[in-house]
Amino acid sequence: MKKFNIRKVLDGLTAASSSSSATAQPGTPRENDVVQETLQSEHFQLCKTVRHGFPYQPSSMAFDPVQKILAIGTQTGALRLFGRAGVECYCQHESNAAVIQLQFLINEGALVSALADDSIHLWNLRQKIPAILHSLKFNRERITYCHLPFQSKWLYIGTERGNIHIVNVESFTLSGYVIMWNKAIELSTKTHPGPVVHISDNPMDEGKLLIGFESGIVVLWDLKCKKADYRYNYDEAIHSVAWHHEGKQFVCSHSDGTLTTWNVRTPAKPAQIITPHGKQPKDGKKPEPCKPILKVEYKTTRAGDPFMVLSGGLSYDTVGRRACLTVMHGKSTAVLEMDYPIVDFLTLCETPYPNDFQEPYAVVVLLEKDLVVIDLGQIGYPIFENPYPLTIHESPVTCCEYFADCPAELIPALYSVGCRQKRQGYSKKEWPISGGNWGQGTQSYPEIIITGHADGSIKFWDASALMLQVLYKLKTAKVFERARGKEEKPNTDIVDEDPFAIQTLSWCPESRMLCVAGVSAHVIVYRFSKQEITTEVVQLLEVRMQCEFSEVDSPDPGGEQTPTLPTPGASSSPQESELPTQPSTGSNSSDGPRDNIPCLQVRSSPLKQSPGNQVELVIQLVWVSGEPPQQITSLAINSSYGLVVFGNSNGLAVVDYLQKTLLFNMGTSELYSPSDPYQRQPRSPRKAKPSGATCDPNDGSNASEDRCRSPTSDARDNSFTRSRSSSVASIDRESREAISSFHFCESFPRKTDSLVSPCLLVGTTHGSVMMVALNLPPSGDQRLQQPVGIASCGTLVKLKGGILTMALLDATGTLLPPFFEQWYDPNASDEEKEKSRKRRSASPPSSQESQDTHFAILCSEKQAKVVALPSQTRIYKHSITETSFVLRADVVQMAGANCITCFCANGHIMTLSLPSLRPLLDVNYLPLTDMRIARTFCFSNLGQALYLTSPTEIQRITYSQETCDNLQEMLSELFTPVETPEAPNRGFFKGLFGGGAQSLDREDLFGETAAGKASRSLAQHIPGPGNMEGMKGAASGVVGELARARIALDERGQKLGELEERTAAMMASAESFSKHAHDMMLKYKDKKWYQL
């Protein structure tokens, strides 16, 4: 544990960083005041933990029917594995090439992936973080199809040239046995058959390989004789082939929407040709061609008709129709519409053996943006309820917040209101993808992720123990009227699409108060209630925020406006005096500019509000003299004070959501006091009425002596401003100083203060930090009747770059979070409200005038500073980056202490100690490649962070050494010891007369002794990074290994017992035989041969 003397901070404490500097100022704490810092660099390590959400741009899929594990490959080389709810895994191919096919080594804990760069990889799934054991890169041929027979170690690989190569998956070496395309097709054929699109062995004869070529030729190849037994020709291109389990028939799907069924021994013509979705002409002609049937599967049942499942094949006249999956069962044909295009599908069957009745029970359909599992066993084919968090992208994510170590009762409360939102009509059966085991996690604290979306919805997720589950969904758009048609679309929108999109949000977990800001310059305040209510009239407050200064030919030299003190119960803004049900009295005539008009129309009909977050107040910014309102850039809510504050490039506004009044509406420049050295000139004046300065006459502060007066430099020469072009003005508007950050606290607003009082820290995009004092009436009825006093106290400090985050520490370095009110149900009885309603107790105010007792922690895009309060002297300063800028910064709790965490645009993740700002971690993690990452990256307490790594996936990371050390235990296990089902019984007569499945010794055919070595130039073998650990089995999954060993021991003990019994029986039989032989010898010992 290191101790830091604040006066002697230069004595080598910040030598770790050349860009750090610290100074001791007069008024800093006395020398005996010591802040103890416990965080060291050893507490920090950065690593990825888990990835949640739907695999982005999926391209292939495979299923292990014994382990019950699903694998999905993507176009970016990612691999996602799913088991039971909560069992997920993510891995990535280094080349980032698209995954074109996946093949499980069924019940072996291994997976083969084939990539678009013509490489194949063997993944070991017996360890918690799968790793590649072997890779093979083809040099001369392009891979088009792979097939690995059940319980075989020989992998067939078809290529674009039409050849088939064979790989030993144990050693990942090529066999010398090759099936060349020109040997497979007839010699009389003059054209190339095209790439290999299908390979499968006959279910009843492993020695016969069915090869499908794209042109429409299918060949049954005899592996032993190395020749083609039969060739089947059809004049339409083939997309897929499926066997009947008896091996006497197979079905092909074609590019004209037809299915051809072939008898193996009659290759001359198909036994049947059908067009499932074709219109049958009456004159007996061929039906009209349809779209290609991309895939077909043929699955048999013991008791009834077989299932034929196919994708595609719809008629060409179904333009605009959604993608469909067709299930043909007996005489019935069901067409199941999907929400997105189908990438792939798999039929799940009871047996892994291809030569047995398949007994299909479900179909897994991989769509471009969803995963659907259909129950084949119920009438109407209902879908299973998906337990995975795959709906993150249901509407694009626009903002994200992460809360670790929340109040324990929050997740059950959110779940209880969210479970009522679940859809009905799902299958009654259990989710069929049920493999793997959960991790033995030690993290027990609740974690919640909140995502805001483009359609105005907000989702609350339970993120505890490295899992993710949706708890509750809130639709903010319900508050507004929806345009029914294009002609009704309001022309006051400031965004063309998604007018309800969530821009930013502020949530108080303790009080459950939620405040959201949307792109249409609207703010909604929500309370949480467990009871349903109907709100007759939605409370509405319209706020007019405009540019700091009016642009007139002869400006007022003083430029001052002194707002009057609002009287209790009086209206604090002109708009608020109107009834919420009345439309805005703004002008929107064709001959004049729009004025006082909001961008969205709040609904006028009663609003039924379900249990959960319920609307308390809607705040809308209005158009000002033909200019649309500026989007909200920062937002904060405080449940203890009953205040909401929001800001944009025009200034800030403070709203009392208890009294439903606007308290404070001030331009950014007016927050600077007249004598402020950091005072800035306004950037982009707008044309406005001379009377329309920053605040409306009734909007203002309650303490006139502390009122921030307008700067005296208002009367500047406006000739340049008037002559600027509109494009320059728009650029200037972007560079105007906007409000970027807020922090409610109880501290010393002024240097002269000796007692703490409620105040608000305000940060701007130009690096200024201002103090605003809050004067709150006593709680109870007085709080609802008397006005809240607000006064700007000028600038506290100036930093380089926009302010990102602010916090407050006490003299011992302990974080002082904002005050909050404990949650109570607003719709409960008054007695219950009083029981649960209490303000968080505060530490007694200090009256030591000569000593600083608080430290303000301020972090901008470029640097961090620590300022002592009330003296307002800088104690520490650290330059975070010179060449880049910080995108996200948070003050978080970690290992019982506090630190600043930063994510830079150059990809660096850094942490700084508090209050001394020592660098503790600096890792080059992820360069900013997408604005989505900048918009969604957020840190949380206890070393957790996350960001949206793709439009559909959340990546969680940790910067905690302790979490990294325990990660192996916390991760789920994919492989579990399961006994392979018994092979189907061949039956007496089949065994006697040679029927049933014919086995093949592939080693004799494909091994080096029989087939020789393959050409070295054909493919290059690359040992995988996971080779050493992988060969040891699941070295990391101790629990899985022990379970496997226990089962193996049980099996061994059982077999030893059986062996002992058989040995004893044999010994008894031998003794009996010996006795009989001895008796016989004695009987015939003295007889001659002719007497026998």
Side-chain angles (χ1 to χ4, degrees):
M1 183 181 289
K2 290 194 177 182
K3 295 185 177 181
F4 294 92
N5 188 304
I6 293 176
R7 270 197 181 282
K8 299 182 178 178
V9 71
L10 286 176
D11 298 343
L13 293 175
T14 53
S17 173
S18 59
S19 59
S20 299
S21 63
T23 54
Q25 303 277 351
T28 54
R30 298 167 185 168
E31 292 198 19
N32 59 355
D33 294 330
V34 174
V35 175
Q36 296 180 335
E37 291 190 3
T38 56
L39 282 180
Q40 303 298 323
S41 57
E42 303 87 68
H43 289 102
F44 295 90
Q45 183 184 339
L46 194 70
C47 69
K48 292 180 180 180
T49 52
V50 288
R51 183 173 290 201
H52 302 296
F54 182 76
Y56 183 56
Q57 295 180 330
S59 56
S60 57
M61 178 172 59
F63 182 70
D64 186 325
V66 180
Q67 286 288 319
K68 309 280 189 192
I69 294 288
L70 182 76
I72 296 176
T74 74
Q75 292 178 27
T76 55
L79 202 56
R80 294 284 301 279
L81 296 129
F82 298 91
R84 66 179 62 187
V87 175
E88 291 183 55
C89 183
Y90 158 76
C91 10
Q92 178 73 41
H93 293 91
E94 281 187 14
S95 67
N96 297 329
V99 181
I100 57 173
Q101 203 175 345
L102 294 169
Q103 290 266 302
F104 273 103
L105 277 68
I106 293 173
N107 206 27
E108 295 290 333
L111 176 73
V112 173
S113 58
L115 270 58
D117 65 354
D118 309 309
S119 62
I120 57 172
H121 308 269
L122 179 66
W123 289 86
N124 175 26
L125 308 182
R126 289 179 178 243
Q127 54 196 70
K128 290 197 171 183
I129 303 175
I132 292 176
L133 296 175
H134 299 282
S135 297
L136 198 64
K137 178 79 166 66
F138 280 74
N139 299 323
R140 299 202 304 247
E141 297 196 53
R142 306 220 65 182
I143 297 172
T144 55
Y145 196 86
C146 298
H147 171 62
L148 181 65
F150 178 45
Q151 294 181 325
S152 168
K153 69 175 184 179
W154 297 97
L155 173 71
Y156 301 103
I157 295 182
T159 69
E160 197 173 44
R161 291 187 184 178
N163 303 324
I164 292 177
H165 301 278
I166 299 164
V167 174
N168 183 331
V169 291
E170 289 179 354
S171 60
F172 246 54
T173 54
L174 273 170
S175 165
Y177 191 114
V178 181
I179 303 173
M180 305 298 288
W181 67 271
N182 54 352
K183 299 283 180 66
I185 65 170
E186 289 180 283
L187 295 174
S188 58
T189 307
K190 294 180 180 178
T191 56
H192 190 278
V196 175
V197 295
H198 178 82
I199 308 170
S200 61
D201 43 349
N202 187 317
M204 286 295 180
D205 189 351
E206 295 174 351
K208 302 296 170 67
L209 198 68
L210 196 69
I211 306 163
F213 295 96
E214 189 181 63
S215 64
I217 299 171
V218 179
V219 175
L220 188 67
W221 181 263
D222 188 321
L223 290 167
K224 286 182 183 175
C225 302
K226 299 184 181 180
K227 67 180 182 66
D229 275 359
Y230 300 103
R231 297 180 178 93
Y232 314 85
N233 288 287
Y234 194 69
D235 54 3
E236 291 292 339
I238 287 177
H239 284 278
S240 72
V241 183
W243 278 101
H244 186 282
H245 84 274
E246 290 179 347
K248 295 175 183 176
Q249 277 189 336
F250 60 89
V251 178
C252 300
S253 72
H254 297 277
S255 57
D256 63 346
T258 58
L259 294 173
T260 56
T261 304
W262 300 80
N263 291 326
V264 170
R265 295 182 181 275
T266 53
K269 65 173 186 175
Q272 186 185 34
I273 303 175
I274 59 169
T275 310
H277 296 287
K279 294 176 182 176
Q280 298 293 337
K282 293 179 181 177
D283 53 5
K285 292 181 181 178
K286 282 180 68 176
E288 292 179 8
C290 294
K291 295 174 184 175
I293 296 177
L294 301 175
K295 186 174 181 179
V296 63
E297 291 203 342
Y298 191 13
K299 302 298 179 184
T300 53
T301 60
R302 285 182 200 279
D305 295 314
F307 282 86
M308 203 173 281
V309 187
L310 54 107
S311 63
L314 294 179
S315 173
Y316 277 106
D317 59 11
T318 55
V319 178
R321 187 172 177 180
R322 291 187 293 184
C324 293
L325 187 82
T326 306
V327 180
M328 301 167 68
H329 183 225
K331 293 182 180 179
S332 70
T333 299
V335 181
L336 310 175
E337 279 200 351
M338 302 291 156
D339 291 334
Y340 305 101
I342 297 171
V343 176
D344 196 4
F345 74 88
L346 292 170
T347 309
L348 307 189
C349 301
E350 297 288 354
T351 177
Y353 294 93
N355 58 356
D356 195 8
F357 285 98
Q358 300 298 287
E359 304 295 347
Y361 59 89
V363 181
V364 182
V365 189
L366 178 63
L367 307 176
E368 280 188 2
K369 293 184 179 179
D370 201 2
L371 181 72
V372 176
V373 183
I374 298 160
D375 185 355
L376 291 179
Q378 282 185 244
I379 297 169
Y381 304 131
I383 64 170
F384 289 86
E385 186 176 6
N386 198 320
Y388 308 135
L390 302 183
T391 59
I392 292 168
H393 63 286
E394 193 174 23
S395 173
V397 176
T398 53
C399 70
C400 204
E401 292 296 335
Y402 192 3
F403 301 86
D405 204 14
C406 299
E409 68 278 0
L410 251 183
I411 289 176
L414 288 166
Y415 180 79
S416 67
V417 297
C419 64
R420 306 180 194 189
Q421 301 175 329
K422 288 192 175 180
R423 282 177 49 192
Q424 302 298 317
Y426 289 114
S427 168
K428 304 284 192 298
K429 296 178 186 174
E430 293 289 321
W431 180 251
I433 304 163
S434 55
N437 281 322
W438 295 320
Q440 308 297 313
T442 55
Q443 285 185 355
S444 57
Y445 50 85
E447 298 173 76
I448 290 177
I449 295 169
I450 304 179
T451 53
H453 299 264
D455 64 353
S457 62
I458 294 171
K459 290 181 182 177
F460 292 78
W461 306 81
D462 177 6
S464 310
L466 295 187
M467 296 187 188
L468 194 69
Q469 179 186 11
V470 69
L471 291 169
Y472 167 63
K473 180 180 177 180
L474 172 67
K475 296 179 180 178
T476 65
K478 283 185 175 180
V479 177
F480 302 102
E481 300 281 3
R482 284 185 177 271
R484 293 175 187 170
K486 288 183 181 177
E487 67 280 354
E488 292 183 36
K489 187 172 181 180
N491 56 359
T492 52
D493 286 354
I494 54 175
V495 286
D496 294 331
E497 294 180 358
D498 303 320
F500 309 111
I502 306 299
Q503 184 119 0
T504 183
L505 59 89
S506 175
W507 187 50
C508 174
E510 289 80 11
S511 66
R512 305 182 194 174
M513 291 295 299
L514 174 69
C515 188
V516 299
V519 294
S520 296
H522 61 277
V523 175
I524 311 176
V525 182
Y526 288 93
R527 280 190 188 275
F528 187 88
S529 174
K530 292 183 177 180
Q531 300 179 27
E532 184 178 291
I533 60 166
T534 299
T535 305
E536 294 298 327
V537 176
V538 176
Q539 295 289 317
L540 172 63
L541 186 64
E542 291 181 351
V543 178
R544 183 183 175 95
M545 293 179 77
Q546 62 192 82
C547 182
E548 293 93 323
F549 303 104
S550 54
E551 184 185 349
V552 288
D553 291 334
S554 54
D556 176 12
E560 299 175 9
Q561 281 195 336
T562 307
T564 58
L565 185 74
T567 56
S571 167
S572 61
S573 74
Q575 289 81 17
E576 204 259 333
S577 62
E578 299 165 9
L579 290 173
T581 52
Q582 293 178 344
S584 304
T585 56
S587 65
N588 193 19
S589 58
S590 57
D591 56 348
R594 299 190 190 105
D595 198 46
N596 282 352
I597 297 171
C599 297
L600 298 173
Q601 186 71 39
V602 173
R603 66 183 290 164
S604 54
S605 56
L607 177 64
K608 183 181 177 182
Q609 304 204 64
S610 303
N613 290 103
Q614 297 173 347
V615 179
E616 173 87 355
L617 177 65
V618 178
I619 306 161
Q620 288 185 288
L621 302 189
V622 295
W623 286 62
V624 177
S625 304
E627 287 280 1
Q630 296 298 300
Q631 291 188 347
I632 291 160
T633 54
S634 54
L635 177 73
I637 188 168
N638 187 282
S639 58
S640 178
Y641 306 155
L643 301 179
V644 167
V645 58
F646 55 91
N648 59 14
S649 58
N650 286 339
L652 70 87
V654 182
V655 169
D656 182 339
Y657 66 78
L658 298 177
Q659 296 186 29
K660 312 291 189 294
T661 56
L662 176 67
L663 300 172
F664 190 72
N665 181 4
M666 182 175 278
T668 312
S669 65
E670 289 200 327
L671 288 170
Y672 296 94
S673 62
S675 59
D676 196 331
Y678 302 124
Q679 174 185 329
R680 309 191 65 84
Q681 298 295 329
R683 288 281 177 153
S684 175
R686 296 189 192 170
K687 282 193 175 294
K689 297 171 186 176
S691 60
T694 309
C695 311
D696 287 324
N698 290 330
D699 304 336
S701 108
N702 295 40
S704 56
E705 66 275 9
D706 294 315
R707 173 72 167 85
C708 167
R709 302 172 71 82
S710 299
T712 53
S713 60
D714 291 359
R716 70 194 190 291
D717 181 11
N718 279 334
S719 57
F720 170 69
T721 308
R722 285 196 300 272
S723 64
R724 286 183 302 179
S725 68
S726 60
S727 60
V728 174
S730 65
I731 294 170
D732 237 4
R733 189 179 304 138
E734 291 298 320
S735 64
R736 190 189 311 150
E737 187 168 21
I739 306 297
S740 60
S741 182
F742 293 116
H743 182 72
F744 283 103
C745 56
E746 303 232 348
S747 189
F748 307 96
R750 306 166 189 81
K751 285 186 180 182
T752 56
D753 289 342
S754 58
L755 297 175
V756 296
S757 61
C759 53
L760 174 68
L761 285 167
V762 180
T764 74
T765 52
H766 289 181
S768 296
V769 178
M770 278 83 84
M771 272 282 200
V772 175
L774 308 173
N775 184 13
L776 295 164
S779 58
D781 292 340
Q782 293 182 66
R783 172 64 185 86
L784 299 176
Q785 294 170 1
Q786 296 181 18
V788 176
I790 300 182
S792 174
C793 303
T795 305
L796 175 67
V797 71
K798 180 81 169 63
L799 284 77
K800 289 181 184 175
I803 304 298
L804 296 176
T805 191
M806 300 176 284
L808 202 67
L809 303 182
D810 66 10
T812 64
T814 305
L815 191 67
L816 295 174
F819 277 45
F820 57 81
E821 187 177 60
Q822 288 292 348
W823 175 78
Y824 66 93
D825 197 323
N827 301 319
S829 63
D830 292 338
E831 291 180 10
E832 290 178 15
K833 285 184 189 179
E834 289 305 317
K835 282 181 188 176
S836 58
R837 191 174 180 180
K838 58 181 182 292
R839 193 165 176 261
R840 189 181 73 93
S841 58
S843 54
S846 169
S847 59
Q848 299 172 345
E849 296 184 19
S850 60
Q851 185 177 347
D852 286 328
T853 56
H854 285 173
F855 301 115
I857 312 299
L858 313 165
C859 185
S860 74
E861 295 170 326
K862 292 286 187 180
Q863 59 183 190
K865 285 184 181 179
V866 177
V867 175
L869 298 175
S871 68
Q872 300 188 4
T873 52
R874 192 191 77 202
I875 304 297
Y876 297 102
K877 173 186 170 185
H878 176 77
S879 178
I880 299 170
T881 176
E882 294 291 345
T883 57
S884 184
F885 57 93
V886 179
L887 291 164
R888 175 80 186 219
D890 289 289
V891 175
V892 297
Q893 291 177 303
M894 168 87 177
N898 307 296
C899 62
I900 298 178
T901 51
C902 305
F903 172 56
C904 285
N906 61 8
H908 283 252
I909 290 178
M910 291 173 275
T911 62
L912 305 173
S913 71
L914 289 176
S916 69
L917 303 180
R918 281 180 306 121
L920 296 171
L921 174 77
D922 187 349
V923 177
N924 188 359
Y925 171 69
L926 176 79
L928 181 65
T929 54
D930 198 317
M931 279 311 294
R932 179 185 59 254
I933 297 171
R935 193 174 62 244
T936 58
F937 200 106
C938 47
F939 295 98
S940 189
N941 292 330
L942 306 173
Q944 307 300 326
L946 65 81
Y947 59 94
L948 226 69
T949 185
S950 74
T952 63
E953 296 166 291
I954 285 176
Q955 177 67 57
R956 289 167 70 178
I957 61 175
T958 182
Y959 49 93
S960 159
Q961 177 69 55
E962 183 185 0
T963 306
C964 289
D965 291 343
N966 296 328
L967 188 59
Q968 283 288 345
E969 289 180 27
M970 295 159 63
L971 292 174
S972 52
E973 282 184 296
L974 289 168
F975 181 79
T976 52
V978 181
E979 198 169 329
T980 303
E982 284 189 15
N985 192 354
R986 292 174 64 187
F988 175 75
F989 289 106
K990 283 188 177 179
L992 189 63
F993 298 112
Q998 301 293 315
S999 61
L1000 172 74
D1001 190 346
R1002 294 185 178 93
E1003 187 69 43
D1004 283 350
L1005 278 177
F1006 307 144
E1008 195 173 312
T1009 52
K1013 290 185 177 180
S1015 168
R1016 287 188 177 182
S1017 62
L1018 183 61
Q1020 176 189 0
H1021 177 256
I1022 306 161
N1027 211 339
M1028 294 305 294
E1029 307 93 33
M1031 294 305 288
K1032 298 172 188 173
S1036 58
V1038 180
V1039 179
E1041 277 301 306
L1042 287 173
R1044 283 177 61 220
R1046 190 161 55 247
I1047 288 174
L1049 282 171
D1050 289 345
E1051 289 176 355
R1052 188 171 172 226
Q1054 187 179 345
K1055 288 175 182 174
L1056 283 172
E1058 291 171 2
L1059 184 63
E1060 194 175 351
E1061 287 173 10
R1062 283 202 300 270
T1063 306
M1066 286 174 68
M1067 285 177 69
S1069 175
E1071 280 182 27
S1072 174
F1073 180 77
S1074 173
K1075 184 173 178 289
H1076 283 296
H1078 186 67
D1079 290 347
M1080 192 75 94
M1081 185 266 295
L1082 291 174
K1083 182 178 178 182
Y1084 295 107
K1085 186 171 77 166
D1086 297 327
K1087 292 189 178 183
K1088 303 295 183 184
W1089 63 270
Y1090 51 84
Q1091 293 176 319
L1092 297 175

